[in-house]
Amino acid sequence: MNASSLQDVSALIEDAWRADGTRPLNDHLWLDLRDGGRAGFAGIIAREEGRSHIVGYCQVSRGNESWAIDLIVHPHYRYDSLEIAPEMMTTALEIVATEGGGHVHWWVFEPSRAHKQIAEAVGLQPGRRLLQMRRALPLEPEVLAEIADFYTEPFQPERDAQQWLDLNNAAFARHPEQGGWTMDTLRSRMQQDWFDASGFRVHRRQEMMASFCWTKMHHDNSTTMGEIYVIAVQPDLGGQGLGRKTAIAGLDAAFLKGAEQAMLYVDADNASAVAMYSSLGFSVHHEEHSFVGNIAAEKATS
Ligand SMILES: CC(C)(COP(=O)(O)OP(=O)(O)OC[C@H]1O[C@@H](n2cnc3c(N)ncnc32)[C@H](O)[C@@H]1OP(=O)(O)O)[C@@H](O)C(=O)NCCC(=O)NCCS
C-alpha cells in the first residue's frame, strides 16, 4: 500500500461511510491500514479503467490466532457485488493460503442475502454473532448510588500495564481478538488519538487489579458516544457484582467526558455479559456477523 493507494482507499471508505451511515473497516483493521500493516497484512484493490475512484477494497490482517478479512465495494458497484466481491475475496484467501493458512473471519455489518451468497461462493460459513448494544446516558441516580462506596482510578501505564495484560488475557483466554494481547498491542492502543486514561477505570484490591472498564469516546456521529471498549473482572472474582459496578464507573466516566449515548459490542453467546448489560438498561441496536473458514496452507507459486 503506497501513499496513493492509501488515499484511494480512504476515499472509498468515505464514500461507503456516507452511503451506509457506518464506517467500514473495524477498529483493528483500520489501525492496520493506517499504520502500514503488521506482518501478514495485505490490501487488495479492484479498479476499473477510466474511473477515478476504486471499485473495491479487501484487507487481510493476521491476528494472534486467526486472519481477519474486510471487504468494501464502492456504493456505485453494489449491483455487481456478487461478481466483484468473490473475486477479491478469493485473492485474499489465496494470500492467506500462501502465508501459511489458518482460521479466517470476515465481519459484516447487518448481513444481507448478498453477504451470505458471497461467503458461500468462497466457502466461508456463518461464525460469530456480535451485538451492538446501546443506552442513553446519564445513568439513573439509583444506579449511580450503587457505586457510592466503590473506588476506581484512571489507568496508570507504569503501574498497571502488566497487571492489565495478565487480567485481560486471563479473562479473554478463549476470545479470538481480545485474548493474547502483548505489551506492543496495548502500547499501540495507548498511542491512538482517542486514548484517554481518565475513561479507563481500574478497580484495585490489595494492590492488584481486580477489574477494569476501558471506555472510548466517539465524536464522529451526531451524538457523542461512549463505548465500553473492553471490560473484565479477575476470573476468580466473577459473579460478585464487580463487573456491574465497574461498568457503572466506566459509563459515568464516559458521561462526564460528554457521552450522550453508551455503546458496546458483545458476543451474542456471552450470556453473563449480555445479562449484565441488559440489567443496566442496554438494548440491542444491531447485529454484526462473521463468516469463517479454515484455509489450508499452500506453497507460493511465484
Ligand atoms: C462479563 C463480566 C465483566 C461480568 O462480571 P461479573 O463481576 O462476573 O458480573 P456481576 O457479578 O457484576 O454480575 C452482573 C450481572 O451480570 C449477569 N451475570 C453475571 N454472571 C452471570 C452468569 N454466569 N450467567 C448469567 N448472568 C450472569 C447478571 O445479570 C448479573 O446481575 P445480578 O447479579 O443482578 O444477577 C465478567 O464475567 C468477565 O470479565 N468476563 C470475561 C470478559 C468479558 O466477557 N467481558 C465482556 C466483553 S463484552
Side-chain angles (χ1 to χ4, degrees), residues 69-136:
I69 295 194
D70 219 334
L71 181 73
I72 313 166
V73 174
H74 194 281
H76 294 170
Y77 288 84
R78 294 279 162 87
Y79 287 116
D80 297 324
S81 289
L82 289 180
E83 271 182 51
I84 299 165
E87 202 175 319
M88 286 200 293
M89 193 71 104
T90 301
T91 309
L93 297 178
E94 280 166 9
I95 292 172
V96 172
T98 52
E99 292 287 326
H103 188 69
V104 164
H105 48 94
W106 170 41
W107 279 103
V108 174
F109 184 89
E110 290 183 329
S112 64
R113 238 182 95 222
H115 291 113
K116 288 174 194 150
Q117 285 171 299
I118 294 164
E120 241 170 59
V122 298
L124 298 181
Q125 287 89 44
R128 281 169 69 201
R129 275 176 58 221
L130 211 53
L131 311 179
Q132 195 202 80
M133 301 181 83
R134 293 190 187 183
R135 65 149 289 161

Side-chain angles (χ1 to χ4, degrees), residues 157-193:
E158 302 76 39
R159 184 194 66 186
D160 293 332
Q162 189 56 52
Q163 283 188 23
W164 181 85
L165 279 174
D166 293 345
L167 198 170
N168 179 76
N169 292 345
F172 289 101
R174 280 179 307 223
H175 194 281
E177 282 165 4
Q178 192 56 44
W181 275 38
T182 63
M183 197 56 92
D184 280 348
T185 333
L186 175 58
R187 279 207 197 101
S188 97
R189 291 303 184 278
M190 285 165 50
Q191 280 159 5
Q192 301 307 315
D193 299 343

Side-chain angles (χ1 to χ4, degrees), residues 171-172 231-233 238-244 265-266 270 272-273 275-277:
F172 289 101
I231 182 170
V233 171
Q240 300 171 20
L242 261 186
R244 181 178 169 94
Y265 287 95
V266 59
N270 188 345
S272 53
M276 178 176 84
Y277 298 134

Side-chain angles (χ1 to χ4, degrees), residues 131 133-135 139-140 143 228 244 247 251 264 266 268 270-284:
L131 311 179
M133 301 181 83
R134 293 190 187 183
R135 65 149 289 161
L139 296 166
E140 298 72 17
V143 175
I228 295 188
R244 181 178 169 94
L251 293 168
L264 57 89
V266 59
N270 188 345
S272 53
V274 173
M276 178 176 84
Y277 298 134
S278 304
S279 82
L280 282 169
F282 281 87
S283 59
V284 176

Side-chain angles (χ1 to χ4, degrees), residues 138-153:
L139 296 166
E140 298 72 17
E142 62 275 21
V143 175
L144 284 171
E146 293 178 36
I147 57 163
D149 300 323
F150 183 76
Y151 186 68
T152 63
E153 50 193 323

